[in-house]
Amino acid sequence: MSNVDIHRMVNELNKELINTRIDKAYQPDVDTIRIKLRKAGEGRKDLVIQAGVRIHLTNYPQPNPTIPPNFPMLLRKHLSGGSITSIEQHNFDRIIKIKVQKKEEYTILVELFSKGNIILLDKDNNIISPLKHKTWHDRKITAHEEYKYPPEKGININNCRFEDLKTVINTSDRDITRTLATNGLGGLYAEEVISYTSINKEKLAKELTDDEITQLNNAINELFNKIETNPQPQIILDENDKNKDLVPITLNKYAQFKSKSFETFNMAADEFYSKKIVSDIKNKEEKLWAKRIGKFEKRLKMQEETLEGFYKTIEDKQHKGDTIYAHYNEIQQIINVIHQARENYSWKEIGSIIKKSKKEGKIPELEMIESIDKMGVINLKLDDTHVQIDSNIGIPESTEKYYNKGKKAKRKIDGVNKAIENTKSEIKKLEDKKEVAIELLRQKQEKREKRELKWYEKLRWFISRDGYLVIGGRDANSNEQVVKKYSKNNDIYLHCDIHGAPSTIIQNKNEDEIPESTLYDAACFASSFSSAWTEGFSSYDAYWVTLDQVSKTPQSGEFLKKGAFVIRGKKNFIRNVPVLIAIGVVDYDDDKRIMAGPVECLKEMTDKYVIVKPGFTKKERISKEILHKIDAEKVFSIDDIVRSLPSGKCDLLDIREYNQKYGKIR
């Protein structure tokens, strides 16, 4: 990413991530960190940072190592539960500062120049730990050192005075394009700025007139005005419709190129970078499987070659044996002659005599003899077939040797065939496993399509047994919204009688009296999503009042925190309501939705639900089990379940145990 790209990205990230809470950090690759975030009313967001390359929100999950490396574990230790308070680009450089407030303030410092780095700093700007430890003559990036920014190059061209720009141009010995490029714009955007003027891009900078410098200054302002107020994020495509470049606005240089437009620069960056990463990971996985399968394919090839060799041996030995018997008499005559000669000559002399006689052509029968060794083994050529006869043991025994070799090869065929079948079976198993693994990888890396949430889904909500919409706050901000934005005078306000509970509203559209069953449902809801859950209570008290009893005006000398209200007048208590919810998939408002609320309300609307009580299992872990039980159609994600559950740990409650304990519930 260029300085200009980062400028736009930081602008968007500030709008998206301020006040988001950090959940966990992961390291899917050697130079990449993914930070899982949660934002009230919006749910999960994932920020991916690749040192030296990119930073953006992503909807493409990446596989993570089974055992997390040290750096993301250190980020979790210091940052989990903290909130992002600001995101800044340092002096229009390729450096980003992400401020995180926990008990202390921390800074995630992202370097996107060269090979880059990701560094965690404490409140005093000291390095807690970097992703990569590095040392230069003037900088040291390692733990316990004070972080020093790299030396600045040129001026901050996005925020400089006309006089500073003029000085840079007048003192440059390069052309105007290179001069602007080396002062933060980079080649692409330097050419874009010049294209807004009448200046020749190859003109020496120091030869520019004051009028031309004024043109440039106006052009720079125009560029950044487009980036900040009229962005047009897009991916530029080459002639083969493959990704060529990523830009936040329409550029003159790419006027003739095809492009894909996106709603935000984050979305464009996610498609541009993440799709390539997804493809790279898939290719890497396929190569690993090809290597594993290749070992067995190599073994199979050797086994098939061995089998083919055995069949050739059987055919060859059978043919040689049959050929010997076809020439039995001729061979016997030769053996007889040789035996007679053996009485007076050595095997060597006999061999020499045969050789000489073949040359003279005196004895035609000798033509089939190719040679004879010192042990009396005769090499014969019979009808273009080469055979060996041991003159010491005779024809039948020599022939039997060939037949026996064929039989031996035949006996081995069954074993080789079984080995081949076993190898083919192993290859098939591995190919099936590969197919499953690649499909799982594809599913894991599948882009998470965010469902468009209705306004009430950004809050806590459920539908009572009597059909009333009940809503509750998730935090201080949404507590304020529930009362000020989403309620009217004839609605009912409920609250659990404990510190740390949502403001809960029963919306009364018909202005009828609210049934007791709905009041009870809403009381259960208000108690279950309160701190009574995290403290492990099985029941608690809640109360309801009319909306005109709810006020933001405290008593004289008192102070109300954000999300808190003063209740005046009588509170109508509902005692010992169960701290317990059910969660399931319901059809409501023309779509399938995850609803979490009192058990009896879920029973009225769906069969696909489970009952959840305060317990000891982390939400993330139990959410997988819940999702499996209620969402056979795989419409929702684990994050949809997590954001619907109360804060704190929980366990599942069997329906029979529920009926025994709460069977007489009103």
Side-chain angles (χ1 to χ4, degrees):
M1 281 183 164
S2 71
N3 304 46
V4 175
D5 296 335
I6 292 167
H7 178 76
R8 178 62 210 170
M9 186 59 71
V10 166
N11 188 305
E12 287 191 11
L13 290 177
N14 265 296
K15 293 176 182 175
E16 289 280 347
L17 300 184
I18 299 304
N19 295 325
T20 54
R21 192 171 294 277
I22 292 176
D23 188 352
K24 287 184 179 179
Y26 304 88
Q27 188 175 348
D29 203 359
V30 65
D31 61 352
T32 304
I33 295 295
R34 183 168 60 85
I35 301 175
K36 183 177 167 185
L37 308 158
R38 296 202 178 275
K39 190 171 185 179
E42 295 183 35
R44 176 176 173 174
K45 293 177 182 285
D46 284 72
L47 180 68
V48 65
I49 306 169
Q50 187 176 359
V53 180
R54 60 183 173 132
I55 178 171
H56 57 83
L57 293 172
T58 182
N59 286 318
Y60 286 96
Q62 277 184 252
N64 295 303
T66 308
I67 301 172
N70 290 333
F71 188 67
M73 292 303 288
L74 183 133
L75 291 179
R76 291 184 194 184
K77 175 184 172 183
H78 290 280
L79 304 180
S80 287
S83 295
I84 294 176
T85 56
S86 71
I87 303 172
E88 299 174 13
Q89 181 180 20
H90 175 71
N91 288 346
F92 196 63
D93 203 346
R94 284 185 288 171
I95 298 173
I96 299 168
K97 296 182 289 185
I98 303 173
K99 297 284 185 182
V100 179
Q101 186 65 49
K102 206 175 173 185
K103 288 182 180 177
E104 295 183 5
E105 185 179 72
Y106 296 94
T107 301
I108 305 169
L109 199 129
V110 182
E111 294 182 346
L112 294 178
F113 55 82
S114 185
K115 292 184 179 178
N117 212 336
I118 303 167
I119 306 157
L120 181 63
L121 308 179
D122 66 16
K123 60 184 175 59
D124 299 317
N125 225 40
N126 294 319
I127 298 171
I128 297 173
S129 181
L131 178 63
K132 308 172 189 176
H133 294 262
K134 292 184 177 181
T135 302
W136 296 269
H137 71 279
D138 58 343
R139 291 179 76 218
K140 194 173 182 182
I141 305 298
T142 191
H144 311 303
E145 291 284 326
E146 183 181 358
Y147 179 79
K148 292 182 181 178
Y149 291 97
E152 291 186 14
K153 297 177 181 178
I155 59 171
N156 181 347
I157 204 159
N158 179 39
N159 188 24
C160 71
R161 299 176 305 152
F162 176 80
E163 291 76 11
D164 296 330
L165 178 63
K166 185 176 179 180
T167 300
V168 166
I169 290 172
N170 288 338
T171 56
S172 173
D173 57 359
R174 297 180 172 187
D175 63 48
I176 187 58
T177 304
R178 286 186 175 83
T179 300
L180 294 177
T182 53
N183 278 277
L185 282 181
L188 180 65
Y189 294 102
E191 287 191 21
E192 182 69 13
V193 164
I194 294 169
S195 74
Y196 298 163
T197 71
S198 58
I199 301 167
N200 185 331
K201 67 179 184 178
E202 296 177 359
K203 187 173 181 177
L204 286 176
K206 59 187 175 185
E207 294 178 0
L208 263 63
T209 65
D210 285 356
D211 285 345
E212 288 174 323
I213 295 173
T214 300
Q215 280 188 59
L216 272 181
N217 189 52
N218 292 337
I220 291 168
N221 291 335
E222 182 182 348
L223 175 75
F224 284 101
N225 185 55
K226 284 183 178 181
I227 290 167
E228 290 167 10
T229 63
N230 187 29
Q232 295 172 310
Q234 53 198 274
I235 293 174
I236 307 302
L237 307 175
D238 63 16
E239 60 273 12
N240 298 315
D241 286 341
K242 291 186 177 178
N243 292 351
K244 177 181 174 66
D245 204 354
L246 167 73
V247 291
I249 58 171
T250 300
L251 299 182
N252 291 329
K253 180 174 181 176
Y254 294 135
Q256 303 305 315
F257 285 78
K258 289 190 283 185
S259 65
K260 286 192 290 186
S261 296
F262 294 85
E263 188 178 334
T264 68
F265 195 42
N266 265 295
M267 291 178 180
D270 197 21
E271 287 295 308
F272 186 80
Y273 291 109
S274 299
K275 271 201 170 177
K276 183 180 183 303
I277 298 294
V278 167
S279 176
D280 289 346
I281 291 172
K282 185 187 174 200
N283 291 339
K284 186 178 177 182
E285 184 75 5
E286 284 182 334
K287 282 179 183 177
L288 288 172
W289 278 103
K291 190 176 180 181
R292 288 179 67 184
I293 293 170
K295 290 179 182 178
F296 286 90
E297 288 176 336
K298 188 176 180 182
R299 182 192 295 177
L300 179 63
K301 185 180 178 184
M302 291 171 65
Q303 289 169 338
E304 288 176 338
E305 286 173 351
T306 300
L307 182 64
E308 188 180 350
F310 284 154
Y311 279 120
K312 284 182 178 178
T313 296
I314 293 167
E315 185 181 354
D316 179 61
K317 302 311 176 188
Q318 181 72 35
H319 174 68
K320 285 182 176 180
D322 293 347
T323 302
I324 290 169
Y325 274 115
H327 293 272
Y328 193 99
N329 292 332
E330 301 156 76
I331 295 170
Q332 189 60 56
Q333 287 178 14
I334 290 170
I335 290 173
N336 292 339
V337 171
I338 288 173
H339 280 169
Q340 290 173 6
R342 183 74 178 88
E343 293 175 3
N344 300 309
Y345 301 100
S346 68
W347 288 114
K348 187 176 181 181
E349 289 171 327
I350 291 171
S352 299
I353 292 168
I354 290 171
K355 193 175 181 181
K356 184 179 177 183
S357 298
K358 282 178 72 178
K359 279 185 180 180
E360 293 173 352
K362 292 178 180 179
I363 308 173
E365 289 82 359
L366 296 180
E367 288 301 317
M368 65 176 64
I369 301 175
E370 291 186 313
S371 65
I372 185 168
D373 67 16
K374 60 183 180 180
M375 302 299 292
V377 176
I378 310 166
N379 291 305
L380 301 173
K381 185 179 181 183
L382 309 174
D383 302 333
D384 296 325
T385 300
H386 299 275
V387 298
Q388 284 187 339
I389 300 293
D390 188 341
S391 61
N392 298 305
I393 61 174
I395 296 171
E397 289 80 0
S398 296
T399 308
E400 192 63 24
K401 280 186 177 182
Y402 282 114
Y403 287 143
N404 284 339
K405 285 180 181 178
K407 289 174 185 176
K408 188 177 180 181
K410 192 172 184 180
R411 285 195 297 271
K412 290 181 177 180
I413 283 175
D414 284 345
V416 176
N417 275 326
K418 285 179 182 177
I420 286 172
E421 287 306 310
N422 288 338
T423 304
K424 284 181 176 177
S425 176
E426 287 296 326
I427 291 171
K428 178 70 168 60
K429 283 179 187 175
L430 282 174
E431 284 176 340
D432 290 344
K433 284 182 180 179
K434 173 193 170 183
E435 193 175 321
V436 171
I438 296 296
E439 176 59 21
L440 282 173
L441 183 66
R442 185 194 67 76
Q443 289 176 9
K444 284 180 181 178
Q445 292 185 283
E446 219 169 35
K447 184 178 179 181
R448 282 194 300 267
E449 297 293 343
K450 274 204 167 185
R451 289 176 59 250
E452 203 63 44
L453 298 178
K454 292 287 188 179
W455 65 269
Y456 49 83
E457 289 181 289
K458 295 176 183 179
L459 307 167
R460 303 281 188 193
W461 73 282
F462 78 97
I463 304 300
S464 78
R465 282 175 275 179
D466 306 297
Y468 288 85
L469 174 61
V470 181
I471 56 174
R474 288 181 171 275
D475 54 20
N477 286 329
S478 54
N479 271 344
E480 295 272 340
Q481 286 185 327
V482 162
V483 176
K484 293 181 177 179
K485 185 177 179 181
Y486 297 117
S487 63
K488 55 186 186 302
N489 287 336
N490 55 320
D491 292 344
I492 295 294
Y493 177 94
L494 293 99
H495 199 275
C496 181
D497 194 25
I498 192 172
H499 179 73
S503 287
T504 302
I505 295 289
I506 303 173
Q507 289 197 336
N508 187 3
K509 290 186 178 178
N510 300 323
E511 301 188 12
D512 296 332
E513 185 177 342
I514 303 292
E516 274 196 28
S517 52
T518 291
L519 289 170
Y520 188 84
D521 291 341
C524 294
F525 177 82
S527 297
S528 297
F529 286 98
S530 73
S531 56
W533 185 285
T534 53
E535 292 182 21
F537 287 100
S538 60
S539 64
Y540 218 85
D541 297 341
Y543 61 84
W544 64 268
V545 296
T546 56
L547 211 61
D548 57 8
Q549 293 177 253
V550 182
S551 172
K552 280 298 287 183
T553 307
Q555 296 286 349
S556 177
E558 292 182 358
F559 170 75
L560 276 185
K561 290 183 180 179
K562 190 170 189 178
F565 296 90
V566 174
I567 306 299
R568 305 194 194 281
K570 182 187 174 185
K571 296 177 180 177
N572 303 284
F573 277 92
I574 303 175
R575 304 289 183 184
N576 294 320
V577 294
V579 177
L580 185 78
I581 64 157
I583 181 169
V585 177
V586 300
D587 283 308
Y588 179 69
D589 208 359
D590 300 323
D591 204 354
K592 292 186 183 298
R593 307 187 190 280
I594 296 288
M595 188 174 95
V599 179
E600 300 304 315
C601 301
L602 269 293
K603 276 185 179 181
E604 290 285 330
M605 297 186 70
T606 182
D607 296 325
K608 300 173 184 175
Y609 71 91
V610 294
I611 304 171
V612 186
K613 64 179 181 179
F616 305 97
T617 309
K618 286 185 176 179
K619 286 204 296 184
E620 287 77 6
R621 185 182 299 174
I622 206 163
S623 292
K624 292 181 182 178
E625 188 178 348
I626 292 171
L627 187 67
H628 178 72
K629 288 177 180 288
I630 69 173
D631 186 26
E633 297 174 18
K634 297 185 178 179
V635 176
F636 300 96
S637 69
I638 289 171
D639 291 314
D640 292 319
I641 306 297
V642 170
R643 70 186 302 274
S644 299
L645 291 172
S647 298
K649 296 180 180 180
C650 44
D651 287 319
L652 297 184
L653 179 69
D654 186 84
I655 187 69
R656 288 167 297 183
E657 186 181 345
Y658 170 80
N659 288 334
Q660 279 182 347
K661 192 170 182 181
Y662 301 100
K664 294 180 180 179
I665 199 166
R666 54 172 162 168

